Amino acid sequence: MVSHARASYPNECCGAMLGTTDGENKIVVESMALENAFEGAKAARYELRPEDLLAADKAARERNMDLIGIYHSHPDCDAYFSKTDLQNSCPWYSFVVLSIQKGEFHHANSWLPNFDQTEAAKEELSY
Ligand SMILES: [Zn+2]
């Protein structure tokens, strides 16, 4: 995820996180790079194609895993969860945001949107 985010700089990258759930903990086993399909300036926004997400979900199930979340990068920006991120989120996925500063990985946060997609709680992230 970090190397994908660095390679995509100064654009935002996005991808799927495949893994398992152990009680309260979600464990990312594999990440899958997906194309940022946003038609405008990719430095400030990302968009996932629904068919790419479906393919990631299928790939996860074929490997006895689940699609547990989505990651994307924020070039030269903090790893916060923006209003657009919230609007484009799904309450059942974890959203990892990677902050890439001047092309290098800086920090990451994980966010869990509520069901109304009005706010996202910060999750504990260990890596
Ligand atoms: Zn974002």
Side-chain angles (χ1 to χ4, degrees), residues 23-119:
E24 297 251 294
N25 297 316
K26 290 176 182 168
I27 300 149
V28 179
V29 178
E30 212 175 304
S31 66
M32 187 182 280
L34 299 175
E35 192 189 334
N36 181 352
F38 185 58
E39 306 256 305
K42 290 185 182 32
R45 199 150 159 188
Y46 80 101
E47 205 174 286
L48 284 165
R49 286 192 199 95
E51 58 265 39
D52 287 347
L53 264 189
L54 278 177
D57 187 62
K58 188 165 174 264
R61 278 182 286 123
E62 279 169 3
R63 294 169 219 185
N64 283 319
M65 293 191 282
D66 290 309
L67 175 58
I68 57 174
I70 310 289
Y71 71 90
H72 74 284
S73 62
H74 279 179
D76 295 321
C77 227
D78 256 4
Y80 70 106
F81 208 56
S82 72
K83 214 176 157 204
T84 313
D85 289 336
L86 196 55
Q87 280 164 357
N88 297 333
S89 68
C90 313
W92 51 89
Y93 293 140
S94 286
F95 287 81
V96 167
V97 182
L98 299 97
S99 167
I100 304 295
Q101 310 273 353
K102 298 191 177 97
E104 294 300 327
F105 174 71
H106 194 267
H107 65 284
N109 286 315
S110 186
W111 304 94
L112 188 66
N114 63 0
F115 274 91
D116 302 324
Q117 285 170 255
T118 50
E119 56 188 348

